[in-house]
Amino acid sequence: MNDFLHKLPQFVGNHLALSLLLVVLVIALIVTQIMVLLRKYTELTPAGLTQLINRDSPLLIDLSAIADFEKMHVPGAKHVAMSQFDPEHKDLAKARELPVVVMDKDGRTTDKAAQRLIKAGFTRVYTLGGGVLAWQQAQLPVAKGKN
C-alpha cells in the first residue's frame, strides 16, 4: 500500500485526463446515489409490483403511448397519456391515500410523473423500473387492447 501511495502522484501526472475522468465519474456516481436516496418515491421491480398488487391493490397508471398500451400492459392498469396526466384531476385526487404506481413502456418517463404526484400530495408513489417491458421479460401476464 505504501508503494502505491508513492507512485500515485507520478501516475496522476502521467495520466491527467484519465485521472480527471475517474474523479468526474466518482462524483457523478455519488450525486446519482444521493438523488436516489432523497427522492420520495420507490422504484419497484416486477416482483415487487406483484407483491404490492397482492397486498394493497394499488392504482396502476400506464403512461405509454396508446399503441404500446394496446399491444401490452400490466393487467388492471389504466392508460393516461403523459400530455393529459394531471395529479390534481378530481378523479385522481380521490386516490391520494392509495398506493399509486406509474409505469410506461420502458421506464424512461415515469420519474417526472412520480414527482408530480408527490408534489400534489400523494404519499405512496411507486414506479415500475424498466417499465412494462421489464414486466413482460419477468414472464408475468400482460393484457392487450384498451382495457
Side-chain angles (χ1 to χ4, degrees):
M1 185 69 165
N2 196 19
D3 189 40
F4 171 77
L5 293 176
H6 287 297
K7 292 183 179 180
L8 185 60
Q10 180 183 0
F11 178 84
V12 171
N14 291 336
H15 305 284
L16 188 59
L18 186 61
S19 300
L20 289 174
L21 180 62
L22 175 64
V23 169
V24 168
L25 289 174
V26 168
I27 290 172
L29 182 62
I30 290 170
V31 168
T32 301
Q33 290 304 310
I34 289 171
M35 289 175 59
V36 166
L37 291 173
L38 293 178
R39 69 183 184 198
K40 295 180 180 177
Y41 61 90
T42 304
E43 183 177 288
L44 298 173
T45 62
L49 178 54
T50 301
Q51 289 176 347
L52 184 66
I53 290 169
N54 290 336
R55 185 180 65 232
D56 287 334
S57 300
L59 173 61
L60 306 174
I61 301 173
D62 192 326
L63 302 169
S64 302
I66 188 66
D68 293 330
F69 180 82
E70 289 177 357
K71 285 180 188 174
M72 72 174 168
H73 57 273
V74 175
K78 305 296 180 208
H79 179 261
V80 178
M82 186 63 171
S83 61
Q84 297 175 342
F85 180 69
D86 180 15
E88 301 292 337
H89 190 273
K90 63 181 180 180
D91 291 336
L92 192 53
K94 294 175 186 175
R96 275 210 171 96
E97 300 306 317
L98 291 175
V100 178
V101 181
V102 288
M103 64 191 76
D104 63 4
K105 179 181 177 181
D106 53 16
R108 294 185 188 182
T109 62
T110 56
D111 290 343
K112 193 177 291 186
Q115 290 168 356
R116 287 176 62 189
L117 286 166
I118 296 288
K119 194 173 185 179
F122 288 77
T123 55
R124 299 171 63 195
V125 178
Y126 303 88
T127 61
L128 176 58
V132 179
L133 289 175
W135 179 268
Q136 181 191 37
Q137 288 171 351
Q139 298 180 349
L140 293 165
V142 294
K144 297 177 190 242
K146 294 185 179 189
N147 296 329

